[in-house]
Amino acid sequence: MRRLVIVSCGDKKLDRPVAAKDLYVSTLFRLARRYAELAGDEWLIMSSKHGLVEPDTVLEPYDYTIIGKGKDVKEGFRSSVQVDWAHYIRQHRECLVKPGTPENPG
C-alpha cells in the first residue's frame, strides 16, 4: 500500500530560494517533515500561497497566509488544493494529513 503524507507549511522561512522541504524552518514543520519522511512513500507540503508542493520544488521565500482572508480567497484555495489532491490521491491507497487543514494550512 502506498501512503501519501501531506504536511502544512510554516510561517518561519529561510530568506533565500531553496527546496520547499528546506524553506520552512519552524520546529513544528521540521517534526512534521520527519514524520512524513518516515511514515510515507511520498509527501507533499500544503502551502497557503502555492497549494500542494513537492518537497524538492524550489520556492522563493514569501509572506502570505489565507488566515484572516475572506470567504472568496479561502474557497479559491480550497478548490485549487482539491484539484491537486485528486491528482495525487489516485496514485495512493492511503493519505495522511499532518498537521493543518485546507481551512488552516499554516
Side-chain angles (χ1 to χ4, degrees):
M1 172 182 345
R2 289 184 46 79
R3 179 180 289 170
L4 172 66
V5 180
I6 299 175
V7 301
S8 180
C9 69
D11 60 348
K12 294 182 183 178
K13 301 170 190 70
L14 294 176
D15 61 357
R16 64 186 184 282
V18 293
K21 66 185 176 188
D22 299 320
L23 180 64
Y24 308 101
V25 295
S26 71
T27 300
L28 181 58
F29 177 80
R30 288 180 182 193
L31 290 171
R33 173 186 172 173
R34 179 130 172 95
Y35 172 83
E37 290 174 337
L38 293 172
D41 298 303
E42 183 178 358
W43 66 288
L44 300 170
I45 301 162
M46 188 176 346
S47 161
S48 55
K49 181 171 182 173
H50 301 286
L52 294 179
V53 179
E54 294 185 6
D56 291 325
T57 300
V58 174
L59 297 178
E60 297 272 343
Y62 64 92
D63 185 20
Y64 180 80
T65 181
I66 65 167
I67 296 171
K69 301 288 187 202
K71 184 178 179 180
D72 291 345
V73 171
K74 290 180 181 180
E75 285 297 323
F77 175 78
R78 187 176 292 118
S79 294
S80 173
V81 168
Q82 286 174 340
V83 168
D84 292 344
W85 184 295
H87 167 77
Y88 285 103
I89 201 66
R90 281 191 288 264
Q91 302 170 27
H92 299 82
R93 304 239 354 204
E94 184 176 5
C95 183
L96 304 173
V97 180
K98 299 279 183 188
T101 66
E103 182 64 29
N104 184 13

